[in-house]
Amino acid sequence: MKLTQLSLFLENRPGQLRVPCEVLGKAGVDMLTLTLADTREFGILRLLVRDAARARIALEEAGCVVKETEVLAVEVPDRPGGLAEVLAGFDRAGIAVEYAYALASGSRDGRAVLVFRVADPDDAARKLPEAGVRVLSREEVLGG
Amino acid sequence: MRTDPSSSGPGFHPASAPDYLPRRQLGELQLRRLQAIVTRAWERVTVFRERMSANGLTPADVRRLEDLGRLPFTVKSDLRDAYPFGLFASPMEEIVRLHASSGTTGKPIVVAYTASDLQVWQSAMVRTFAACGLHAGDVLQNAFGYGLFTGGLGAHSGAEALGATVIPISGGNTERQLMVMKDFGVTALCCTPSYFLHLMERAREEKVDLGRLRTGVFGAEPWSDAMRRHIEAEGGIKAYDIYGLSEITGPGVASECSAQDGLHVFEDHFYPEIIDPESGEVLPDGREGELVLTTLSKQAMPMIRYRTRDITTLETEPCPCGRTIRRIRRIGRRSDDMFIVRGVNVFPSQIETAILAVEGVLPHYQIVLTREKGLDEVEVRIEVTPEAFGDTVSALEELREALSRSVEHVLGIRVKVHLVEPRSLARSEGKAKRVVDQRRI
């Protein structure tokens, strides 16, 4: 149920985002989505890729600081109020969201996919389905 | 023949005999040598004779070792002013080697050796390596630079005379260093501590281990105890601090022993005094001040009361290793790498210790001094490591806060801490450049 997200430390200056993207391109690793958290001085690039292990090796060889984090991919109905319903499920399950971002592939068949970081992904993966939230399997996310 | 270096006790080599002289006997030897060297300098070095005369002194005034304190100092600019050969006390026919220090400003300083000077230097380096527990059977990778710098050749000749197998790899080319270390079964390494950090980091990145390496003999730049703990834990080695300077001979002036608690000065050749750097007064043993060295045997270029600018204390308590020669505390700072920010005296080593006190941080850092609107600012750039990197902005902010607090606690002034990407700070193949002063004063 869990996905491996790669987080990279970046200094906040022009051109810094390009480096890891080029490294992944050369390594032939397909990016599913990315999101950037930034402050005035530094940023964190969070990546979901098809082959996290290979990506990590390539990035570390290029001198990047990489951290692996487990995240959950959750199906969200692509209509007004859809995300609110999902988040209500999080509340029922007592799961707090640290951050979330969307999968770049957009919505299909009226359903979008959001990636959630929570404190305890294993616990969340058990409790969320009981609260009516559909957590996607690795195959459902990576296979598509 | 010993084949397993780790099975032997604290290092001893026949050349180490003077390390264990009874103090009285050592004192007599020192006085005899001091009188001879002062006479030699007086007869052969004009500037020294002039300074002695200006103070109404002649070599005959040196009756006891304490009389050394009455003689004039020699400072680095004296060597520059005398560039290249002005302080030589031997004719060129007797000088068999020249070295020069990298001049950070203008001309370098040149130092000279007679054949007997080279022998003294070699024996001092044998005693250094023996004190660090090395002996025949060790394979030493000498990554000090070969050339005009005294480190490479000084360590080389001492290690050979000790009977170790020397690999004269010199500095730089980290990949080759790591390959040789593993493939040649290297047991000991000489380099600067900052270069060893770099080697460890690359070894980790390339997932190679350090093979049979068990001893690091590190010198040529100040490093903290915190840095030693890090190096020993991470590298799985014993890390020894050695001390020397070209003006006196090169490496081999002082060395740690198995106790790793202060550096024994080979004071039968290099006589130490501690002075108050402001007044020039000689301080009693145990008081902190500037180290002043006098070469007791050096023929080609005697140095009388050379001011090293290194701050330390001289310890007289007996060392558990049994050596009777006195120890200097590890040199964490120099009176001239100190900088003053908003009236506060700061040594880079204080900042290093503060950074290393924060969990998970590797000591790649640089201190940048700037002046904004007439006010000095201290910025500390620290490379982020995988251990220290958290996935969230708040984790990084907390790390930065912890580093700021730690540094501010030590310095008592606000500093800006910048987290930077790994390998973005310049790496040293030799001495690390820790302080960049961009202030326009």
Side-chain angles (χ1 to χ4, degrees):
Chain A
M1 305 281 262
K2 293 173 294 177
L3 298 170
T4 303
Q5 166 194 270
L6 300 179
S7 301
L8 275 72
F9 177 84
L10 296 179
E11 276 174 64
N12 198 352
R13 52 190 166 86
Q16 290 309 96
L17 179 56
R18 182 175 44 84
V19 178
C21 295
E22 279 176 358
V23 169
L24 292 179
K26 280 202 193 101
V29 174
D30 190 17
M31 270 194 260
L32 298 175
T33 191
L34 65 84
T35 179
L36 271 170
D38 74 299
T39 70
R40 204 165 53 85
E41 279 178 28
F42 57 79
I44 298 172
L45 170 65
R46 300 188 180 112
L47 287 170
L48 271 189
V49 298
R50 211 170 284 286
D51 187 346
R54 195 146 57 92
R56 181 175 184 160
I57 291 168
L59 290 166
E60 284 183 342
E61 273 173 7
C64 299
V65 170
V66 183
K67 188 167 186 87
E68 285 185 8
T69 318
E70 315 240 84
V71 291
L72 298 175
V74 168
E75 187 179 274
V76 180
D78 187 10
R79 56 175 163 72
L83 180 56
E85 284 166 24
V86 168
L87 291 174
F90 272 75
D91 287 349
R92 280 194 298 278
I95 306 291
V97 175
E98 286 184 11
Y99 54 80
Y101 51 95
L103 213 59
S105 54
S107 81
R108 231 177 295 165
D109 309 324
R111 285 187 290 260
V113 178
L114 255 70
V115 177
F116 286 90
R117 167 68 194 170
V118 298
D120 185 345
D122 287 311
D123 181 51
R126 271 194 312 273
K127 289 181 181 162
L128 286 173
E130 294 164 15
V133 175
R134 196 163 110 75
V135 180
L136 300 176
S137 70
R138 281 175 60 86
E139 292 68 34
E140 283 175 288
V141 180
L142 301 181
Chain B
M1 194 185 79
R2 278 187 294 211
T3 51
D4 177 14
S6 62
S7 68
S8 63
F12 181 81
H13 185 274
S16 304
D19 295 6
Y20 303 88
L21 279 179
R23 291 292 312 175
R24 208 168 62 87
Q25 199 181 330
L26 177 63
E28 286 162 9
L29 175 69
Q30 287 170 325
L31 178 60
R32 219 166 43 240
R33 287 184 174 166
L34 177 65
Q35 288 168 330
I37 207 69
V38 167
T39 305
R40 183 180 180 87
W42 162 271
E43 286 169 352
R44 298 175 181 232
V45 184
T46 313
V47 61
F48 178 68
R49 185 170 55 246
E50 285 170 359
R51 283 182 190 172
M52 289 278 282
S53 302
N55 291 330
L57 295 165
T58 71
D61 291 310
V62 181
R63 293 186 202 92
R64 301 169 307 146
L65 277 173
E66 295 73 53
D67 293 330
L68 178 59
R70 301 169 60 195
L71 306 191
F73 291 115
T74 307
V75 295
K76 191 161 200 150
S77 60
D78 292 333
L79 282 88
R80 264 192 217 112
D81 294 346
Y83 177 86
F85 301 158
L87 295 179
F88 290 8
S90 298
M92 286 312 275
E93 304 85 78
E94 290 172 18
I95 287 172
V96 299
R97 175 91 67 81
L98 296 175
H99 277 285
S101 83
S102 54
T104 41
T105 48
K107 298 276 193 197
I109 59 158
V110 181
V111 293
Y113 306 77
T114 64
S116 76
D117 292 339
L118 286 184
Q119 272 173 9
V120 167
W121 186 15
Q122 183 183 65
S123 72
M125 276 313 291
V126 170
R127 292 159 70 180
T128 293
F129 285 127
C132 296
L134 304 193
H135 40 63
D138 270 307
V139 181
L140 176 80
Q141 181 161 341
N142 184 14
F144 280 136
Y146 281 66
L148 284 177
F149 172 54
T150 49
L153 284 164
H156 182 104
S157 96
E160 269 187 3
L162 181 82
T165 308
V166 184
I167 304 167
I169 193 162
S170 195
N173 199 338
T174 303
E175 251 93 78
R176 192 177 54 180
Q177 300 270 4
L178 290 172
M179 181 192 78
V180 162
M181 189 177 293
K182 203 164 156 84
D183 293 352
F184 294 8
V186 167
T187 59
L189 172 72
C190 280
C191 61
T192 57
S194 59
Y195 187 55
F196 185 66
L197 283 178
H198 179 54
L199 280 174
M200 280 200 304
E201 183 181 50
R202 285 290 276 277
R204 196 169 60 162
E205 279 166 13
E206 291 172 20
K207 301 191 171 52
V208 296
D209 62 55
L210 301 178
R212 299 179 58 207
L213 188 71
R214 66 179 176 88
T215 307
V217 179
F218 301 125
E221 67 186 17
W223 49 306
S224 62
D225 273 325
M227 174 90 92
R228 188 214 308 263
R229 286 192 293 275
H230 172 77
I231 284 175
E232 291 196 331
E234 191 87 351
I237 63 167
K238 275 279 190 194
Y240 295 95
D241 191 13
I242 65 169
Y243 174 76
L245 58 170
S246 303
E247 297 89 321
I248 298 303
T249 195
V253 173
S255 171
E256 281 188 334
C257 61
S258 54
Q260 290 179 306
D261 184 22
L263 291 78
H264 291 281
V265 181
F266 300 112
E267 58 172 314
D268 49 323
H269 294 303
F270 314 113
Y271 190 84
E273 296 170 282
I274 300 290
I275 63 159
D276 178 333
E278 303 296 325
S279 69
E281 289 299 310
V282 178
L283 298 174
D285 287 349
R287 287 273 303 278
E288 187 180 76
E290 180 182 335
L291 178 67
V292 171
L293 289 165
T294 297
T295 59
L296 297 179
S297 326
K298 205 150 181 260
Q299 300 295 298
M301 202 168 150
M303 280 287 120
I304 311 293
R305 305 197 82 204
Y306 183 74
R307 292 189 60 162
T308 65
R309 303 290 168 192
D310 290 317
I311 304 292
T312 183
T313 57
L314 203 49
E315 310 276 344
T316 47
E317 291 99 80
C319 182
C321 78
R323 283 177 178 77
T324 53
I325 50 177
R326 284 175 289 177
R327 285 173 286 169
I328 49 172
R329 286 278 124 222
R330 297 185 67 205
I331 288 158
R333 56 207 182 95
R334 289 173 53 78
S335 62
D336 58 1
D337 75 357
M338 183 192 83
F339 53 89
I340 301 175
V341 181
R342 302 191 197 174
V344 179
N345 292 352
V346 181
F347 292 93
S349 57
Q350 292 176 290
I351 294 182
E352 177 177 306
T353 303
I355 293 170
L356 288 170
V358 177
E359 199 84 23
V361 176
L362 269 176
H364 283 300
Y365 67 92
Q366 197 167 52
I367 300 159
V368 183
L369 305 177
T370 54
R371 180 163 285 189
E372 284 165 28
K373 295 179 188 134
L375 206 56
D376 290 343
E377 300 284 348
V378 185
E379 181 185 319
V380 185
R381 296 177 181 162
I382 304 169
E383 289 186 6
V384 169
T385 61
E387 291 77 17
F389 176 48
D391 161 58
T392 59
V393 169
S394 57
L396 283 171
E397 295 286 8
E398 274 162 29
L399 173 68
R400 198 177 57 163
E401 274 304 303
L403 288 163
S404 298
R405 268 198 311 275
S406 187
V407 175
E408 283 166 19
H409 179 70
V410 170
L411 300 189
I413 50 173
R414 273 208 72 78
V415 297
K416 280 192 258 181
V417 169
H418 284 292
L419 299 175
V420 299
E421 287 174 29
R423 290 197 278 193
S424 60
L425 298 177
R427 284 294 184 277
S428 63
E429 305 263 289
K431 302 189 190 194
K433 185 156 180 57
R434 296 298 196 193
V435 183
V436 180
D437 195 342
Q438 298 175 338
R439 292 177 293 186
R440 298 235 174 80
I441 297 177

